[in-house]
């Protein structure tokens, strides 16, 4: 059974890194000392080493062990030897580009066999069929917008309908409305910060602060 | 000599459509009744017909005539028969996708021969080498991120460093800093709303409200 924990974001303002998700992650993974393979490829303005150190510290504190995909020579072996896949946030386009370099099929197979998947922000975007509902700047051109396709819907992380006063750019809902026009029939879940979707097989549960906003889903 | 008027946005809050740009457009194009070819392809949640009507009304009021690229059978003939290219805002990814269907080389040649180019928002993004500094959601997958390449720098339109209070998403400057890390040596001009870049050959002039913000440009 497919199991995914798809977090809007890692950290709330003023709180420690992966602070609010910690109880959700522990409830999702349980008490066994699972081996997590972390993919730091969304990190742009800091090194993959630094990203891994930061994440490792948190996962170890929760009782798990953690290795990083950027240090791996043999991707298949790394996937075979882990229990959990965790994909961190940063830039979704850069992350997609790295995933498309041999990771996609391996991760898909592993998750379809039941290995838990944890993603936050960009890591939640890439669990979807495409990266078309990311908020990120397209600083890197990936081979395609198709990614892991682990769930049948799209996620918009960091969802908010707040806007900058006197600024004319589109609201988030306007942007997602554009997506729906261009991609009729696809459902988009706007997940606010401090919230997540937990996927257990075909069942999707919303947890955390605020409210889930659902867009589209009917062919027009 | 290449001549471009690259506007951050079409409309300031509470003002009429193409209100603030009007004196700049008239100064840029002069008093002759020039024939403008308008490209409405960035429009997503409204029809190309509606977009053309809205733009045509404004250009006619300024003393020009205007036809729309979405009604054209023969692209080359349409480009040959116009004096000015105008590319409207909306979604940059959808716009790039349409441009890549046979318009890019025709527009490049025309502008290199001296035909004035006017773009706003997405229309300014596509004048750059790539669409990698757009703010838009990637709702459509273009053939590539390469676009008109009429200027040697990147523009970030609607530039602002204001943020939504208590929201953890990246600031615009953080996003552009990510672009610079991934694309060293490329210069990015953050152009706030109500402002523009006027390009006359190799000379670039900033006009309008606020301040131009320049990022990058040195190989690291």
């Amino acid at each position: 059974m497919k199991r995914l924990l798809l977090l809007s974001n890692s950290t709330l303002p003023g709180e420690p890194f992966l602070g609010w998700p910690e109880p959700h992650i522990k409830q999702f993974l349980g008490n066994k000392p699972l081996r997590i393979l972390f993919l730091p490829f969304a990190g742009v303005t800091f090194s993959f080493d630094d990203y891994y150190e930061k994440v490792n510290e948190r996962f170890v504190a929760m009782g798990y062990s953690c290795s990083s995909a950027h240090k791996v020579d043999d991707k298949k072996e790394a996937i075979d030897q882990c229990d959990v896949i965790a994909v961190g946030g940063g830039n979704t386009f850069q992350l997609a580009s790295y995933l498309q370099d041999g990771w996609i099929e391996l991760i898909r197979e592993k998750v379809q066999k039941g290995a838990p998947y944890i993603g936050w922000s960009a890591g939640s975007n890439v669990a979807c069929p495409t990266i078309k509902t990311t908020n990120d700047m397209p600083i890197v051109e990936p081979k395609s917008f198709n990614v892991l396709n682990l769930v049948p819907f799209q996620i918009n992380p960091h969802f908010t309908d707040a806007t900058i006063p006197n600024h004319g750019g589109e609201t988030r809902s306007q942007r997602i409305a554009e997506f729906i026009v261009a991609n009729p029939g696809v459902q988009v879940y706007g997940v606010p910060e401090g919230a997540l979707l937990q996927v257990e097989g075909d069942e999707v549960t919303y947890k955390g602060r605020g409210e889930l906003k659902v867009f589209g889903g009917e062919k027009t």
Side-chain angles (χ1 to χ4, degrees), chain A residues 6-29:
Chain A
L6 302 172
L7 309 157
S8 175
N9 62 324
S10 61
T11 314
L12 291 171
E15 295 190 7
F17 177 64
L18 286 178
W20 78 267
E22 179 166 334
H24 297 286
I25 292 172
K26 286 162 93 171
Q27 166 268 329
F28 179 65
L29 293 184

Side-chain angles (χ1 to χ4, degrees), chain A residues 47-209:
Chain A
S47 73
F48 294 160
D49 280 342
D50 288 349
Y51 201 179
Y52 165 61
E53 287 306 321
K54 201 170 144 184
V55 168
N56 180 55
E57 191 182 20
R58 301 296 297 129
F59 281 145
V60 166
M62 294 181 214
Y64 311 111
S65 67
C66 180
S67 60
S68 185
H70 81 287
K71 294 185 177 178
V72 156
D73 287 324
D74 184 333
K75 296 183 176 77
K76 189 172 179 317
E77 193 184 313
I79 293 282
D80 283 345
Q81 289 178 359
C82 77
D83 303 306
V84 179
I85 312 277
V87 182
N91 185 281
T92 306
F93 293 88
Q94 179 173 296
L95 173 57
S97 185
Y98 274 88
L99 289 179
Q100 286 161 0
D101 185 27
W103 288 103
I104 300 243
E105 280 310 312
L106 294 171
I107 294 173
R108 275 181 60 77
E109 269 180 43
K110 184 84 175 179
V111 174
Q112 272 158 352
K113 282 184 199 155
Y117 178 101
I118 299 173
W120 58 89
S121 193
S124 293
N125 277 127
V126 296
C128 302
T130 73
I131 59 169
K132 291 182 180 176
T133 52
T134 178
N135 307 307
D136 295 339
M137 192 171 270
I139 61 169
V140 166
E141 183 171 349
K143 282 182 193 157
S144 114
F145 285 1
N146 298 326
V147 277
L148 293 168
N149 195 21
L150 301 173
V151 291
F153 50 82
Q154 291 289 129
I155 289 174
N156 180 252
H158 302 273
F159 181 80
T160 177
D161 250 338
T163 53
I164 298 165
N166 291 313
H167 186 73
E170 293 89 351
T171 65
R172 191 68 61 78
S173 291
Q174 283 170 336
R175 293 172 189 277
I176 297 172
E178 288 189 350
F179 170 85
I180 299 289
V181 170
N183 303 271
V186 181
Q187 203 153 42
V188 182
Y189 291 143
V191 183
E193 295 184 343
L196 63 85
L197 297 176
Q198 183 169 341
V199 179
E200 303 279 349
D202 293 331
E203 205 174 290
V204 182
T205 311
Y206 178 81
K207 296 183 178 179
R209 310 195 309 179

